[in-house]
Amino acid sequence: NRPLGVAVIGYSFMGRAHSNAWRNVSAFYPDVPAARMTTLVGRDGSRVQQAADELGWEGTATDWRDVLERDDIDIVDVCTPGHLHAEVTLAALRAGKHVLVEKPLANSVAECEALVAAAADSPGTAMLGFNYRRVPALALARELVQEGRIGRIQQVRLSYLQDWLSDPQAPMTWRLRKESAGSGVLGDLGSHAVDQLHYLLGEHVTEVSGSLRTFVSERPGPNGTEAVTVDDAAWATLHTASGVVASLEVSRVATGRKNAMVIELYGTTGSLRFDLERLNELILTQTPGADARTAGAATILVTEPEHPYVDAWWPAGHVLGWDHTFTSQAADFLRAIATGDPVQASFEDGLAVQRVLAAIETSDGRGGARTETGN
Amino acid sequence: NRPLGVAVIGYSFMGRAHSNAWRNVSAFYPDVPAARMTTLVGRDGSRVQQAADELGWEGTATDWRDVLERDDIDIVDVCTPGHLHAEVTLAALRAGKHVLVEKPLANSVAECEALVAAAADSPGTAMLGFNYRRVPALALARELVQEGRIGRIQQVRLSYLQDWLSDPQAPMTWRLRKESAGSGVLGDLGSHAVDQLHYLLGEHVTEVSGSLRTFVSERPGPNGTEAVTVDDAAWATLHTASGVVASLEVSRVATGRKNAMVIELYGTTGSLRFDLERLNELILTQTPGADARTAGAATILVTEPEHPYVDAWWPAGHVLGWDHTFTSQAADFLRAIATGDPVQASFEDGLAVQRVLAAIETSDGRGGARTETGN
Amino acid sequence: NRPLGVAVIGYSFMGRAHSNAWRNVSAFYPDVPAARMTTLVGRDGSRVQQAADELGWEGTATDWRDVLERDDIDIVDVCTPGHLHAEVTLAALRAGKHVLVEKPLANSVAECEALVAAAADSPGTAMLGFNYRRVPALALARELVQEGRIGRIQQVRLSYLQDWLSDPQAPMTWRLRKESAGSGVLGDLGSHAVDQLHYLLGEHVTEVSGSLRTFVSERPGPNGTEAVTVDDAAWATLHTASGVVASLEVSRVATGRKNAMVIELYGTTGSLRFDLERLNELILTQTPGADARTAGAATILVTEPEHPYVDAWWPAGHVLGWDHTFTSQAADFLRAIATGDPVQASFEDGLAVQRVLAAIETSDGRGGARTETGN
Amino acid sequence: NRPLGVAVIGYSFMGRAHSNAWRNVSAFYPDVPAARMTTLVGRDGSRVQQAADELGWEGTATDWRDVLERDDIDIVDVCTPGHLHAEVTLAALRAGKHVLVEKPLANSVAECEALVAAAADSPGTAMLGFNYRRVPALALARELVQEGRIGRIQQVRLSYLQDWLSDPQAPMTWRLRKESAGSGVLGDLGSHAVDQLHYLLGEHVTEVSGSLRTFVSERPGPNGTEAVTVDDAAWATLHTASGVVASLEVSRVATGRKNAMVIELYGTTGSLRFDLERLNELILTQTPGADARTAGAATILVTEPEHPYVDAWWPAGHVLGWDHTFTSQAADFLRAIATGDPVQASFEDGLAVQRVLAAIETSDGRGGARTETGN
């Protein structure tokens, strides 16, 4: 009954967000198994030590392979860059660890398939960290969809817009090189939007039509002008087996939009709307019942104890932020370890997303022709 | 069965708005008695003729007394400056005309009392033109209140904010002189807000506590600096016989607010919110029934045929503007002439508003002490 | 110098909206040539007479050909169903009349081409009535784009969503039959959105990828279940010669959306956003200048005298409605007749829209493949 | 150079919020002096132990006096009910501790005065925890006001609305008894609003006019119906020495409002608006410069690194929640201990707020007459 020992691999943006989750999970979710912040892993010994001191880790390591061999590490939490996810995760699964992987599961469909197979063979619990599944408003949306509150869904609108590349003079970064980033905005933001679609509908996208665009093909780099080799924006039409059609639009040049993942679900008897920039709100419309005069779009402040995840936090009316989703995610992971219940998201979910993204790229290469995803 | 002949007295802002109503009423309300744009009245013969040509009037007159003697004039519509309302209206009532008076009924409580008495003695239909009673969203709010949809109302928030005096260097005008304007923002905008309170609650304010303020006491005038002798802003707490408390705040220095009459009604089982800058919307909150998760503030687009006045206009989803309220007002007046049904607003309503405004001024002079209105 | 005699052909929804415009144009635009509401044309003599009485027309006719021969008719305003536009308009142009055609110009590219040719040969002024070009907020958006206030536009988002077909049991109507309606939501609402794109950018769409969908393939009709033969929703990606990419989504099953034409323009230094359900507002974002702290999305209440069209109407802060756009359109048409200046929209603009819609249908038939429009 | 030992007195709502702050402060503010979660204090030994385990405290104590004598406790953080603030804080100051007191400073003006005197005599740093001073949007508002970005402020609107007493059948609680709660909504919510006014303006309220109201005078209690002895709602007009007028309205019966502290500042050249339910947003309006067409209310998403406090947290565009304000408050307190710089809020600020609240109560007892605060 000792606390579960945790090692987080990586200590930059995502490592920091996950560390915050491990530091706070027991305070808000005292009923889940206890976790211990055992080891923070990073290649640079002095920097990882400084990060560990700030973030509250007991110890550090500079080689992730080392922690896989330790008995006091029960959980490996993979927060490396995406192209390392597969290698670390596979090794951790083989070592029998419980594994939490920050999204994306991996950068290719093939890697994802290997990870799904490995997870099936492993005694450990394997979970993929799509943190937005723990936004209370989105979890509430899923409940309402599942209960049929908006009827049968016909049409969905997905967009995820940012603007940090609006300026054609914005400089080159590793995120704009195919070799380092894998893909552009489609993989970075499109993955979140597609996972939400799967999560909210409870089914996967089977066919797509898509196109990509790099608006600014060259940017100033450290050694002069350099070619941008990933997409700035992407568009797709997504189809599910049950007949839902979803549009998808993602962009890094949408001036004025900072972190605008907007999701609209249109059902036969209602609709739902969410904007990540207003994370604590969900807008619900229901077709009028007896009184057509009072039908309207209800902005729900999702801060009541009846709302998903909210009762773990503060009294009614106190808004949450972006990072709270990671803490709730850690709680769900710990609970799944204890109960063996299905995880959210599974590695299969990660593979399903990757297949959709790959199919969009394929479709783009085929002039927008409809392409099956394999889901 | 000839059409009712109409004379409008005045052709500036309000005369133009009322002319627009008479020109359009039969097109949208074909079921009310027909009206004929007989005579537009103004003191300057050539200017009133030009206005009449533009606005669609058959003829003009330069002395309002003349039209009172004409048999082909059935309706006198008083759009003069407020300090002339009493004289013109009294004469028109004595001449047996139907009279529509643009708000305010008059500039003093005594004048209003005389007009109420005259209306009671007259065979004509007398109506006061508080045009915002014909905003569909506000008429819907009244219906919902009357039906008990938000329970028993406890607290109301009224504000009407504009900003054309924000700049301390904005020049002197007749509106800032007591002798010409009667009062400042309290009379100009506060009257609308108080009338809405009476209209929405169905009862009058009986007691008030209030204060006035002139933020900029001198402004540049045509002949040098001149003292401002009316209020720039006013605040009051209003009490009704049934125990409702309403706050009132009106201002001409609320930078960024153009025409923001905002009304919030808080009842025991729901609330309503309206903003004149979004005239086609009404926000309704109802306390949760069976499902506490989905309670929220519903923004109703008040453009459905089930909404008050809307079916006279366009198909669902087509927004109306400010001027449509005057056309609906003309229709209601014509209908009341035919049916003898009670008018909205009555002269009594106008007197009730004037008493509240006067009591606020009295309270201000008494250091904010609570003061009875006489209603 | 007599007033220009007007004949409107048709007296249902659009005939009524245009009649309203002719009735009011001189009151708000006294500087344009005077127009006289001479004749309302409809096939049913008694019904057209009743409409003419309500709407303010001097006379009626039951055969549109008759009015083309009359010397007292200078303007023919075509408000018939779309499939009759070409025939009536061609005849009116041949008769030397000034012609205003309600959108769409015609139901096919071939008809539109014929009309463009006829307009070029005619001495009369020919204008196409895309009324939303006179929404002050959209006209302001165009000004700002032309002045470079948001930089070079890269990405645009267009949607026009309604919900009257959300319910799968909503009954069959003529609008859902290909033979009577020509097309579904793509032609009905997509045409407005595409015209706005052309209007705002000042260039035409040259290539598209699109798809259509009928969510409910059978609906209850007067004689039992009947097949729906037009689209319920459509999606497209639109490309212009200069490299702008625009997404387009139109739907009649977007539950809770009543008349939501939403337009977002993303430029290199700013963005604009408009929603027809809030017709009086325009949202402008500009990339921060010296102070990054105060960059934000500014909601402009487009009711100031400096805004396009507004000074013709009411003092600052008084909102307009949907129908005002038609009155401003009539004024612009009368002014163009007098000056010979280019019209907004031209028949060429109408042809350009029709080509885009046709190309979207073609692309849909080709599995979403990119298709040139011919523009 | 050892970390500063912290003892928090109390472990319910506020004790939990402050514990969260101490647990996280070093992760986000690594540059401030380190703090150690030494002791959590509560009267019930087993419950405080359980809380300490969940919240991350090293040890517990059941008598707050004990921790004042310990050398390993440097900071005493008072999170008891308000009526105990004075006694604990005075003792802690006499013991030479640094003291952070959760608002209110104390329940009476006399107690506040004693605390101000004690803080002046103490070597320790004394700070009052008005956490909303660390909302980035409000801290930004203060910066903008101080820089003169909205000119000279003339008028302010303050409201703080909740709805948990809307239902007349809501049961009796200790918060509705004068003896246990001290006051009703005025003290609970009004204190926050008044402190913000002082914080944003940089000056204190000198004169007030106010009234209180208990809408529901009896509520069902555990032993039958019981009298409510505190206010449900309060209204006041507040005046500062420089001539600003602020309205204040607080309520617990504002149905549909969950935690709506709304602040509007109107200056001669701009205005600011904030709503706590949208904690990450600030709305700024500035009077138009060269171009009157583009003046509007700019919604700033206050999540950029240039915004106050934000760079301590996450990359741009990631929203914060309610609890982050306490962590930033702890950081500011630790920094003030190290630097000796003035604290935000000082005990003087707490006294100033209490004087305003007391004067409002006095004014209410005098029928709303204007009353000096003593500030």
Side-chain angles (χ1 to χ4, degrees), chain A residues 155 213 243 247 249 251 255 267, chain C residues 155 213 243 247 249 251 255 267:
Chain A
Q155 189 170 359
R213 177 66 169 271
S247 64
E249 182 161 3
S251 176
T255 308
Chain C
Q155 189 170 358
R213 176 65 169 271
S247 64
E249 182 162 3
S251 176
T255 309

Side-chain angles (χ1 to χ4, degrees), chain B residues 154-155 157 159 213 215 235 243 245 247 249 251 253-257 264 266-267 270-271 273 285 287 367 369-370, chain D residues 154-155 157 159 213 215 235 243 245 247 249 251 253-257 264 266-267 270-271 273 285 287 367 369-370:
Chain B
Q154 298 184 134
Q155 189 170 358
R157 285 164 54 78
S159 58
R213 176 65 167 271
F215 285 106
W235 300 260
V245 184
S247 64
E249 182 162 3
S251 177
V253 302
T255 309
R257 301 286 182 167
E264 302 172 37
Y266 294 102
S271 60
R273 180 179 165 89
T285 303
T287 48
R370 283 174 70 144
Chain D
Q154 298 185 134
Q155 189 171 359
R157 285 164 53 78
S159 58
R213 177 66 170 271
F215 285 106
W235 301 260
V245 184
S247 64
E249 182 162 2
S251 176
V253 303
T255 308
R257 300 287 183 167
E264 300 172 39
Y266 294 102
S271 60
R273 181 180 164 89
T285 302
T287 48
R370 282 175 69 144

Side-chain angles (χ1 to χ4, degrees), chain C residues 279-297:
Chain C
L279 183 149
N280 293 279
E281 300 179 14
L282 181 68
I283 299 177
L284 168 66
T285 303
Q286 292 185 278
T287 49
D291 188 351
R293 298 171 305 163
T294 53

Side-chain angles (χ1 to χ4, degrees), chain D residues 7 22 32 39 41-42 65 74 112 156 211-212 234 240 277 282 329:
Chain D
W22 295 115
V32 303
T39 306
V41 183
R65 288 172 190 82
D74 304 287
C112 289
V156 178
S211 62
L212 308 179
T240 73
E277 291 184 356
L282 181 69
Q329 174 177 282

Side-chain angles (χ1 to χ4, degrees), chain A residues 12-335:
Chain A
S12 61
F13 180 22
M14 277 303 123
R16 202 166 166 242
H18 283 237
S19 294
N20 186 63
W22 294 116
R23 191 168 58 245
N24 289 295
V25 65
S26 82
F28 296 98
Y29 294 92
D31 57 318
V32 302
R36 184 168 172 176
M37 296 179 72
T38 307
T39 306
L40 182 65
V41 184
R43 282 176 300 184
D44 182 319
S46 69
R47 288 174 62 194
V48 73
Q49 185 60 51
Q50 186 186 339
D53 290 345
E54 291 174 10
L55 301 174
W57 291 93
E58 296 175 9
T60 65
T62 55
D63 187 336
W64 56 267
R65 287 171 190 83
D66 293 347
V67 300
L68 302 191
E69 296 170 10
R70 285 168 52 179
D71 289 340
D72 64 337
I73 301 292
D74 304 287
I75 291 171
V76 173
D77 179 358
V78 184
C79 295
T80 65
H83 67 279
L84 300 177
H85 280 193
E87 181 183 7
V88 178
T89 303
L90 284 169
L93 287 170
R94 280 185 206 121
K97 304 300 186 191
H98 304 297
V99 187
L100 174 62
V101 186
E102 172 59 27
K103 79 100 200 174
L105 182 54
N107 278 355
S108 72
V109 169
E111 283 180 335
C112 290
E113 288 171 337
L115 287 167
V116 167
D121 289 344
S122 166
T125 298
M127 186 167 113
L128 176 61
F130 273 115
N131 66 301
Y132 293 139
R133 291 189 176 212
R134 272 82 188 185
V135 170
L138 288 169
L140 173 60
R142 187 174 196 247
E143 286 181 7
L144 298 174
V145 168
Q146 287 181 336
E147 295 166 13
R149 292 287 289 271
I150 61 167
R152 182 171 48 79
I153 294 175
Q154 298 185 134
Q155 189 170 359
V156 178
R157 285 164 54 78
L158 303 168
S159 57
Y160 200 151
L161 306 179
Q162 297 183 344
D163 71 355
W164 55 281
L165 290 178
S166 289
D167 181 355
Q169 296 305 312
M172 198 65 200
T173 80
W174 67 268
R175 288 179 173 276
L176 304 183
R177 296 184 194 108
K178 179 102 182 165
E179 60 274 24
S180 49
S183 75
V185 69
L186 180 64
D188 184 19
L189 303 187
S191 56
H192 276 300
V194 171
D195 183 64
Q196 276 298 318
L197 183 67
H198 291 169
Y199 171 68
L200 292 167
L201 295 185
E203 65 169 345
H204 289 158
V205 171
T206 53
E207 207 176 10
V208 309
S209 168
S211 61
L212 308 179
R213 177 66 169 271
T214 305
F215 285 106
V216 180
S217 55
E218 293 184 331
R219 288 184 180 272
N223 306 309
T225 298
E226 189 179 335
V228 173
T229 49
V230 300
D231 49 294
D232 289 335
W235 301 259
T237 314
L238 314 176
H239 303 263
T240 73
S242 79
V244 176
V245 183
S247 64
L248 172 70
E249 182 161 3
V250 291
S251 176
R252 290 167 170 170
V253 303
T255 308
R257 300 286 182 168
K258 298 306 172 187
N259 205 16
M261 180 173 72
V262 176
I263 299 172
E264 300 171 38
L265 303 169
Y266 294 102
T268 49
T269 64
S271 61
L272 289 162
R273 180 180 165 88
F274 172 81
D275 181 346
L276 185 60
E277 291 183 357
R278 288 183 172 164
L279 182 149
N280 293 279
E281 300 178 12
L282 181 68
I283 300 175
L284 167 66
T285 303
Q286 292 184 278
T287 48
D291 188 350
R293 298 171 306 161
T294 53
T299 300
I300 303 168
L301 192 62
V302 189
T303 56
E304 296 294 304
E306 292 83 1
H307 292 138
Y309 296 106
V310 173
D311 62 344
W313 296 95
W314 307 107
H318 293 83
V319 298
L320 299 184
W322 171 82
D323 54 55
H324 297 79
T325 60
F326 290 93
T327 305
S328 297
Q329 174 177 281
D332 282 346
F333 183 52
L334 290 168
R335 197 180 286 114

Side-chain angles (χ1 to χ4, degrees), chain B residues 52-172:
Chain B
D53 291 345
E54 291 173 11
L55 300 174
W57 291 92
E58 295 176 10
T60 65
T62 55
D63 187 334
W64 56 265
R65 287 171 191 83
D66 293 347
V67 300
L68 302 191
E69 295 170 11
R70 285 168 53 180
D71 289 340
D72 63 338
I73 301 292
D74 304 285
I75 291 172
V76 174
D77 180 358
V78 183
C79 296
T80 64
H83 67 280
L84 300 177
H85 281 193
E87 182 184 6
V88 178
T89 303
L90 284 169
L93 288 169
R94 278 183 207 122
K97 304 300 185 189
H98 305 297
V99 187
L100 174 62
V101 185
E102 172 58 28
K103 79 100 199 175
L105 182 54
N107 278 354
S108 73
V109 169
E111 283 180 334
C112 289
E113 287 172 338
L115 286 167
V116 166
D121 288 345
S122 167
T125 298
M127 186 167 114
L128 177 60
F130 272 116
N131 67 301
Y132 294 139
R133 292 189 175 212
R134 273 80 188 185
V135 171
L138 288 168
L140 173 60
R142 187 174 196 246
E143 286 180 8
L144 298 174
V145 168
Q146 286 180 336
E147 294 166 14
R149 292 287 288 271
I150 62 168
R152 182 173 47 79
I153 294 175
Q154 298 184 134
Q155 189 170 358
V156 177
R157 285 164 54 78
L158 302 168
S159 58
Y160 201 150
L161 306 178
Q162 297 183 343
D163 72 356
W164 55 280
L165 290 178
S166 289
D167 181 356
Q169 296 305 312
M172 198 65 200

Side-chain angles (χ1 to χ4, degrees), chain B residues 288-367:
Chain B
D291 188 351
R293 297 171 307 162
T294 52
T299 300
I300 303 168
L301 191 61
V302 189
T303 56
E304 297 293 305
E306 292 84 0
H307 292 138
Y309 295 108
V310 173
D311 62 344
W313 296 95
W314 308 106
H318 293 82
V319 298
L320 299 184
W322 171 82
D323 55 54
H324 297 79
T325 60
F326 289 93
T327 306
S328 297
Q329 174 177 283
D332 283 347
F333 183 52
L334 290 168
R335 196 181 286 115
I337 290 171
T339 63
D341 287 345
V343 293
Q344 290 277 8
S346 67
F347 280 21
E348 284 85 354
D349 292 324
L351 169 60
V353 169
Q354 202 62 33
R355 283 175 169 159
V356 174
L357 302 182
I360 291 171
E361 289 204 60
T362 301
S363 173
D364 175 62
R366 298 171 57 211

